[in-house]
Structure formats: structure tokens, C-alpha cells
Amino acid sequence: MSLSKTYLLFAFAGCFLLHACANDPAKVKAFTRDDRQPVQTAHDVDMLYTDSAKLKIHITSPQVKDFAGSKPYTEMPEGVKVEFFDDAQTVNSYLTSNYAIRKQREQQTEARNDVVVVNIKGEKLNTEKLIWDEAKHRIYTDAFVKITTKDQVLMGNGLDSDESFTNYEIKDITGSFTLKDPDKKQP
């Protein structure tokens, strides 16, 4: 093969390769984008939310991951503790769970896995799943719930409540029993 033919062959191959490597930046970005990867991860998070300069919510979590995309969300895979404050700046309820996810557009937070809510009266809710609708100021679930008050235990499937867990309704009561005070003499 002559030198000119070899040169022409390399030139042709080079043009072909250059043409084959041309990429549309939008296509490359769409191909390499992965909405399942967090855009930000933080550890030992301590957040305060205020309204009109009044503390409303205090959130702590060992890890927080923010995800972008068409449906952005924040995930707390190692658990969360949330304290809710009233207008007098006192805690009126708190929530803990082993996992939580907040969907920004829907303005909803879902707590899962060993969810516990305690209100100002000391009443305690145990469930495996609870949704907090921030816009409606409601908490609800369709999962099994157990509510322990100072004198009884209520169980059922599903719950609807105000966000402070002071006015609640169990959807399908499956059982209840009264707690007896061991120090109180029974007739």
C-alpha cells in the first residue's frame, strides 16, 4: 500500500470516528443523569423551621439525602426525630421513626418503621407507617395503630388526626382495653 493510500485511509477513518463521537449535550446529560443518586448528603443534621419568627418544628437526623429530578424528595434513611412547637414555643408533640421521606411537591412526609408519636397529653401512637400532610395540617395512616393513653390502649387499622395528635380518630377499631392502676383498690 502506498503512502498516499495509507494517509487517505487514516484521514477517512479519522473523519468517521470524529463524526461518530459527536454527541448532543442534552442526550449525554439525559443518558448520564441518575435521579436515584442524591445531589446532596448531610450527616448529623439539626434543622429548625420557623414561621413569623416563631419556632414551629425541630428536626434531627443522623443522615439526610436530597434527590433532584422531576419529583424531588428528601430521604432520612437512618431515622428522624421531629419536635412540633405551639405558639407558646413549647413542644406539643414529637415523632420518631427509623426512616422518613419528604416529597417536596406534594408537601408530604412519610415516616416508616417503628413510628412513635407522643402528644402533649402523653398519649402515645405506635404504627409502622404515618403520613404528615403539611398543607392540610393532618397526619394519617391506613396501617395498624396502637394508641396508649393513661388509662386505656386502643388498637385499629387506620388513623386520621390533626398534626399535633390531640384530636384523632381510629378508622377500624380492632380492640381496646382499660389499664388498671395497681395502687388503686378495686371493689
Side-chain angles (χ1 to χ4, degrees), residues 110-151:
E110 182 178 326
R112 287 186 264 174
N113 305 333
D114 196 20
V115 182
V116 177
V117 179
V118 178
N119 67 18
I120 196 165
K121 298 184 269 184
E123 297 171 326
K124 181 178 173 183
L125 164 67
N126 294 88
T127 187
E128 287 300 309
K129 176 183 168 187
L130 188 69
I131 297 171
W132 171 36
D133 189 320
E134 299 165 35
K136 294 179 182 176
H137 304 284
R138 307 291 300 167
I139 58 173
Y140 60 91
T141 186
D142 57 358
F144 174 79
V145 296
K146 179 176 97 173
I147 298 174
T148 307
T149 69
K150 59 183 160 183
D151 57 1

Side-chain angles (χ1 to χ4, degrees), residues 30-153:
F31 179 74
T32 59
R33 187 183 89 219
D34 187 355
D35 291 344
R36 294 169 296 184
Q37 295 298 318
V39 294
Q40 176 177 290
T41 300
H43 298 276
D44 298 323
V45 175
D46 194 330
M47 296 180 281
L48 301 173
Y49 289 92
T50 61
D51 183 13
S52 303
K54 289 188 177 185
L55 180 61
K56 293 294 182 182
I57 301 171
H58 178 214
I59 298 175
T60 55
S61 179
Q63 183 181 56
V64 175
K65 296 179 178 184
D66 287 320
F67 294 82
S70 61
K71 294 183 178 184
Y73 62 96
T74 300
E75 184 180 48
M76 291 153 270
E78 295 180 21
V80 66
K81 180 178 181 183
V82 183
E83 296 174 304
F84 297 92
F85 292 81
D86 61 18
D87 288 336
Q89 304 292 280
T90 58
V91 176
N92 65 6
S93 62
Y94 71 86
L95 174 145
T96 60
S97 71
N98 292 335
Y99 174 87
I101 184 169
R102 180 176 186 270
K103 299 172 185 172
Q104 281 88 335
R105 291 214 170 108
E106 293 88 349
Q107 291 187 321
Q108 289 186 347
T109 301
E110 182 178 326
R112 287 186 264 174
N113 305 333
D114 196 20
V115 182
V116 177
V117 179
V118 178
N119 67 18
I120 196 165
K121 298 184 269 184
E123 297 171 326
K124 181 178 173 183
L125 164 67
N126 294 88
T127 187
E128 287 300 309
K129 176 183 168 187
L130 188 69
I131 297 171
W132 171 36
D133 189 320
E134 299 165 35
K136 294 179 182 176
H137 304 284
R138 307 291 300 167
I139 58 173
Y140 60 91
T141 186
D142 57 358
F144 174 79
V145 296
K146 179 176 97 173
I147 298 174
T148 307
T149 69
K150 59 183 160 183
D151 57 1
Q152 66 179 354
V153 175

